[in-house]
Amino acid sequence: MSRNSTPPPDNDGDDNDDDASLVGRWFSVDGNQGVVRYVGPVSGTCGTWLGVEWADAGRGKHGGTRNGHRYFRCRWAADGNSGGSFIRRVARIDWGQTVLAAARARYAEADGAVVARAIDGRRGRIEAVGFDRVAGQQADLQTLATLGLDSLRVYGVGRNRLEREETRRLLGAGTRTLLLANNYLTRWSAVTDILDALRGVETLDVSANHFATPLVAPPECGSSSGATRLDTLRLDSSPGLTWPDASAAAAQLRARAVSFGWSGVSALASAGVPAPPIDGLEELRLDCNRITDIAALSAQLPRLRVLSLRGNRTLVDILPGNATNNELPVVLFPALESLNLADTGISSWAAVDRLALLPRLATLHLAQTPLFETASSSSPDAARTADIPRAQTVARLARITKLDGSAVSADERADLERYYLALCARQLAESHEQHSPPSNDNPAAATVDLLAKAFPRIPELVAKHGAPPRPADQPRSGLNHRLASVSFEIARGADVRSAAVMRSVARRLIRSMLVRQLHPVAARLAGSRAGFAVYLCADPSADADAWVLLDPAAPRDLAFYGLEDRGSVIRILLPPA
């Protein structure tokens, strides 16, 4: 159909069509786009006019009022008094085209010939070998599994019965993915009509269109004939829609996964109106919106497994602020397994602690949040340790198996939990709010009691790994804080705990020394370049058997393993003679 055809393609040659069907239609004329808000007479003039609201509000002369009479309202202008015009229904208005016309224009010429085969490259004209065969296959619309019709001015399936039947015959059986982003769609009924013709569609992208709200009238929600269940629905870049609109569409199409990002969404619930549950929705992406609270989603989406909130910088917590004692009146997000909070406003470890209330959470993204951008301790050494945020997160959340795309192995978890214990003890010692020093009769137990009041999971981790090393008592500043007195023991045996110590050497080490930098020192002391292992007992006075293997392949420093200036022992273990 010609771009300049008139009447609009919604007619499809149907003489019974009237001007009222134009209201709500998207169009373009002379390079400007807009939507029809009114069709009819204007006082003081002759004939029929189109009252339109321009996409560019600066183009309109009024807000739908002429000579004191309001004909329509402009919805996009901030003041409601601009963006509107009256225009005649002229032939050069482009009303878009049907899905079938767009598919033929995209994949084949009108006469059935395949699209052009020549390619103009940067270095001249290129002959595309085999392009005839590929283009010929694409021209057979019945074989296309993915129908890419983005930005092709599609407004719907058309009203002509013969064209609808032809659309169903050519596109209905084979199409699985339908891409309709940035088109002329304004009515949700046009989308359901398209899906009625293309019943094999599993993935539908209608992002960046111009839908009117409410998207689906409440009586229609869930009443679709439902020939197939949609796997994925994308409604990204739709600032005119609300979450109730998107959720109603998901319910009607029985979508398993929905993406509704980059749409300026802030509220996920209507005031005083409980949202009906959507049992089939398992994956939801609300990236780059302005969301502040997601608690309402828990009751609405009881089977949600994957939730992405990436880029919502306004989001500082995902659970109610009173959820501080691992107690909630109901279980929130009982099925949630994966949560993406990257590039959000999460800035407190209390917010991370509340994630432990999600019973099935195993995969978490926290990169680019304030917690991961700012050091979590005032200690100079801690501020230079990149492992702090990861250690804090893994140790606080016992069920996490993947963090920021990296799997958490059992060995890494054990290392990070020990480091977390040492870090908590250090933070407690540095805090000006410390209640009292540990008692002399059992300093380790007193330290654990104080830590358990200030940090989560301390009793559980102490039972698993032993009491954390006690920080040194001297002031922590300058070079003194960075150096630690260490006793190197050269021992021989099969077990580090029972090995026979042959000799001992005192050294002072910088706490930020990497483990791989320590191994050449150990090799010189052992008199061997290989065949030995290096272990650290950070605080022998607390637990003389708490030996940790120092793996030179791990990119970590000695402070990570709790090395302090309190008589730490590094044992170089040689094999039995």
Side-chain angles (χ1 to χ4, degrees):
M1 183 171 291
S2 171
R3 292 178 58 95
N4 297 328
S5 62
T6 187
D10 220 7
N11 294 345
D12 282 336
D14 188 347
D15 295 333
N16 296 323
D17 188 71
D18 54 38
D19 290 336
S21 66
L22 294 180
V23 175
R25 288 290 303 276
W26 195 261
F27 71 94
S28 65
V29 60
D30 299 334
N32 299 287
Q33 295 189 356
V35 65
V36 178
R37 300 289 189 202
Y38 167 80
V39 179
V42 175
S43 178
T45 67
C46 298
T48 299
W49 291 85
L50 305 180
V52 304
E53 181 177 4
W54 300 103
D56 178 6
R59 175 175 170 77
K61 299 178 179 179
H62 51 74
T65 300
R66 178 180 170 83
N67 295 331
H69 180 75
R70 179 170 292 281
Y71 294 88
F72 62 93
R73 293 184 181 276
C74 290
R75 304 175 184 176
W76 301 327
D79 58 3
N81 296 319
S82 61
S85 298
F86 289 103
I87 65 173
R88 293 291 189 181
R89 181 174 167 181
V90 295
R92 66 178 184 275
I93 295 178
D94 176 17
W95 298 98
Q97 58 185 340
T98 63
V99 168
L100 182 57
R104 284 172 168 160
R106 168 67 176 82
Y107 295 101
E109 297 289 354
D111 60 0
V114 298
V115 294
R117 294 176 294 277
I119 301 175
D120 289 322
R122 289 182 300 171
R123 298 184 179 179
R125 203 164 183 79
I126 301 172
E127 180 182 357
V129 178
F131 191 82
D132 283 341
R133 180 173 55 85
V134 174
Q137 290 174 347
Q138 288 186 338
D140 184 0
L141 300 180
Q142 291 177 305
T143 66
L144 293 177
T146 298
L147 199 58
L149 304 179
D150 293 344
S151 306
L152 287 181
R153 306 163 20 256
V154 174
Y155 73 90
V157 74
R159 298 176 60 183
N160 182 280
R161 180 178 57 83
L162 294 178
E163 182 170 3
R164 293 168 74 96
E165 292 177 356
E166 186 75 353
T167 301
R168 184 177 290 110
R169 183 182 70 83
L170 293 177
L171 305 176
T175 303
R176 296 293 177 264
T177 299
L178 179 58
L179 308 179
L180 289 171
N182 191 32
N183 274 293
Y184 282 18
L185 296 169
T186 59
R187 300 165 179 164
W188 190 247
S189 59
V191 175
T192 56
D193 285 346
I194 292 172
L195 293 178
D196 185 59
L198 280 67
R199 297 198 173 190
V201 170
E202 299 171 354
T203 297
L204 174 66
D205 187 353
V206 287
S207 303
N209 275 283
H210 315 281
F211 295 112
T213 184
L215 194 62
V216 180
E220 296 181 64
C221 185
S223 67
S224 174
S225 58
T228 59
R229 178 189 175 187
L230 201 65
D231 181 80
T232 302
L233 172 64
R234 296 176 189 149
L235 281 166
D236 298 321
S237 302
S238 301
L241 299 182
T242 65
W243 167 245
D245 291 326
S247 61
Q252 186 187 38
L253 300 180
R254 299 187 296 163
R256 184 194 63 83
V258 170
S259 181
F260 186 38
W262 296 272
S263 298
V265 177
S266 57
L268 296 177
S270 300
V273 181
I278 307 176
D279 291 334
L281 191 58
E282 298 180 3
E283 298 183 14
L284 176 60
R285 288 168 175 79
L286 296 169
D287 300 336
C288 299
N289 284 301
R290 296 195 294 268
I291 295 169
T292 58
D293 183 7
I294 66 167
L297 289 180
S298 180
Q300 188 181 11
L301 307 177
R303 297 185 183 180
L304 190 66
R305 296 188 304 103
V306 178
L307 176 60
S308 177
L309 299 163
R310 178 175 57 89
N312 284 271
R313 300 294 291 181
T314 52
L315 185 67
V316 297
D317 205 334
I318 73 159
L319 298 178
N322 59 358
T324 56
N325 297 318
N326 291 351
E327 296 179 357
L328 281 173
V330 295
V331 177
L332 293 181
F333 298 103
L336 192 65
E337 300 172 1
S338 176
L339 178 61
N340 190 339
L341 295 173
D343 197 24
T344 62
I346 303 295
S347 59
S348 72
W349 288 112
V352 174
D353 294 338
R354 283 191 280 274
L355 296 179
L357 303 176
L358 304 177
R360 299 185 63 180
L361 185 64
T363 300
L364 179 64
H365 292 266
L366 280 172
Q368 296 178 292
T369 60
L371 284 177
F372 276 55
E373 292 172 350
T374 307
S376 57
S377 170
S378 60
S379 164
D381 281 348
R384 288 190 296 269
T385 304
D387 290 290
I388 286 179
R390 185 174 178 87
Q392 290 262 27
T393 305
V394 170
R396 288 169 183 264
L397 303 175
R399 290 184 291 271
I400 292 297
T401 58
K402 181 180 288 188
L403 179 60
D404 290 326
S406 176
V408 179
S409 66
D411 289 342
E412 184 190 22
R413 173 169 285 281
D415 284 346
L416 295 180
E417 287 175 346
R418 292 189 190 100
Y419 179 49
Y420 169 71
L421 285 172
L423 180 64
C424 290
R426 190 182 313 156
Q427 289 179 332
L428 185 66
E430 294 170 349
S431 172
H432 298 295
E433 300 175 359
Q434 185 173 353
H435 301 291
S436 60
S439 57
N440 292 330
D441 54 341
N442 194 347
T447 298
V448 171
D449 290 341
L450 289 175
L451 289 173
K453 295 177 182 179
F455 303 98
R457 293 195 70 211
I458 293 297
E460 176 188 351
L461 295 179
V462 167
K464 181 178 179 181
H465 302 293
R470 291 181 291 109
D473 295 330
Q474 68 270 17
R476 300 176 172 274
S477 60
L479 188 60
N480 270 340
H481 173 47
R482 300 179 62 198
L483 291 174
S485 297
V486 179
S487 177
F488 279 90
E489 294 180 350
I490 295 83
R492 189 178 291 277
D495 185 354
V496 66
R497 295 173 179 81
S498 58
V501 176
M502 299 182 291
R503 62 189 178 95
S504 178
V505 179
R507 289 284 191 275
R508 282 178 63 81
L509 299 178
I510 188 167
R511 300 175 61 251
S512 58
M513 173 184 282
L514 297 176
V515 171
R516 60 180 174 80
Q517 296 172 321
L518 175 69
H519 267 249
V521 178
R524 287 194 297 270
L525 293 175
S528 173
R529 299 183 61 180
F532 63 88
V534 182
Y535 293 83
L536 169 68
C537 182
D539 189 359
S541 64
D543 187 352
D545 290 327
W547 294 96
V548 178
L549 176 65
L550 301 181
D551 183 2
R556 298 188 174 117
D557 57 19
L558 297 177
F560 175 86
Y561 296 96
L563 180 69
E564 294 282 356
D565 191 15
R566 56 172 173 270
S568 296
V569 177
I570 293 178
R571 182 167 292 179
I572 305 169
L573 184 64
L574 299 171

